[in-house]
Amino acid sequence: MIELTYYGHSSYLVNINQKTVLFDPFISPNPKASRVDVEAIKADYVLISHGHEDHVADAESITKANNAMLVSNYEIAVWFAEKGIERYHPMNHGGSKEFDFGKVKYVHAVHSSTLPDGSSGGVAGGFVIKHDEGCFYYAGDTALSYDMKLIGEEFKIDFAILPIGDNFTMGIKDAIKAADFVGTKKILGMHYDTFPYIEIDTEAAKKAAMEAGKDLILLNIGESIRL
């Protein structure tokens, strides 16, 4: 089992093999996460799925404060290197890399990717993390895609962290299909309720998931769970 802590929007901190891996930190600009002490977050790795502000806002400060390793696509990694990030690892779609917490594969996502200053963020992606105790999928911002079936064919996915807010990404119906494609019954929701555009009926989403035989887990900001 591994422990996950939700910091709002799409930001999850995952403890794997005594290492802490932080995904898409958008915390300090998020009013819903105002009780989170960003300076207290300890991260050994910061993984960035794509370049939008609501996924990278706290990446520079957290990475520098912890001397963490930033992992993303080539364009994003180099952009952060130019901001003084000394430890970074660039990837691209289909590529895998072994780190001391597990193996990371950077996979396809269907979404745009522009960095806060207007620079190209390359092509958006997601991550499959295979570790000693299992495997999970962090989708990033994406539409439903048949490419997700390839993930299910290659990996045994224990749970998937999927966007459910609709409008800019998948909604709950497509997230349920995505879970089918990657072969898991457990969905951790992300990218919902932060802004008016992506506010959802959470009870209706839970009902839809339950009726489809899925376990939709929606954590409160700051809440942790072991899976």
Side-chain angles (χ1 to χ4, degrees):
M1 297 180 74
I2 59 174
E3 184 176 79
L4 300 93
T5 302
Y6 183 50
Y7 287 132
H9 198 50
S10 301
S11 184
Y12 278 87
L13 182 74
V14 187
N15 287 278
I16 311 171
N17 292 336
Q18 299 182 326
K19 299 293 181 179
T20 49
V21 182
L22 180 65
F23 292 88
D24 286 2
F26 172 76
I27 304 166
S28 60
N30 181 3
K32 294 181 181 293
S34 60
R35 294 185 180 181
V36 176
D37 183 359
V38 176
E39 294 182 359
I41 294 174
K42 302 300 180 186
D44 296 303
Y45 293 85
V46 177
L47 272 58
I48 305 296
S49 65
H50 67 289
H52 288 162
E53 172 72 15
D54 61 325
H55 294 258
V56 306
D58 294 300
E60 181 181 351
S61 63
I62 293 174
T63 301
K64 287 180 176 178
N66 290 274
N67 192 30
M69 173 76 75
L70 186 140
V71 181
S72 191
N73 66 31
Y74 180 83
E75 289 81 1
I76 293 172
V78 169
W79 187 80
F80 276 105
E82 291 173 351
K83 290 181 170 295
I85 298 295
E86 296 180 356
R87 301 182 65 229
Y88 63 95
H89 184 89
M91 300 189 73
N92 218 320
H93 293 79
S96 299
K97 176 66 178 178
E98 290 275 3
F99 295 98
D100 55 6
F101 64 87
K103 187 174 184 179
V104 175
K105 185 167 186 176
Y106 191 61
V107 296
H108 185 57
V110 183
H111 196 69
S112 55
S113 180
T114 305
L115 288 155
D117 65 358
S119 299
S120 170
V123 179
F127 300 97
V128 176
I129 311 295
K130 188 174 182 181
H131 54 94
D132 289 346
E133 298 184 56
C135 185
F136 68 93
Y137 171 43
Y138 178 91
D141 282 7
T142 187
L144 180 67
S145 166
Y146 261 90
D147 284 355
M148 294 172 181
K149 289 193 172 185
L150 297 175
I151 295 172
E153 291 175 4
E154 182 177 355
F155 299 98
K156 184 180 183 301
I157 300 296
D158 299 313
F159 62 88
I161 304 174
L162 303 177
I164 60 171
D166 217 341
N167 195 75
F168 295 116
T169 67
M170 298 186 291
I172 186 59
K173 290 183 180 179
D174 282 355
I176 289 168
K177 290 182 182 178
D180 282 336
F181 285 177
V182 303
T184 187
K185 292 185 176 181
K186 285 187 170 60
I187 300 170
L188 275 77
M190 68 173 181
H191 207 276
Y192 69 98
D193 280 359
T194 313
F195 315 114
Y197 282 128
I198 58 173
E199 289 178 353
I200 67 168
D201 183 336
T202 55
E203 292 307 313
K206 289 177 181 178
K207 181 180 179 182
M210 182 181 65
E211 290 176 348
K214 306 298 181 189
D215 182 13
L216 176 62
I217 302 167
L218 303 179
L219 299 179
N220 296 316
I221 295 175
E223 185 179 1
S224 299
I225 190 171
R226 292 182 65 84
L227 292 172

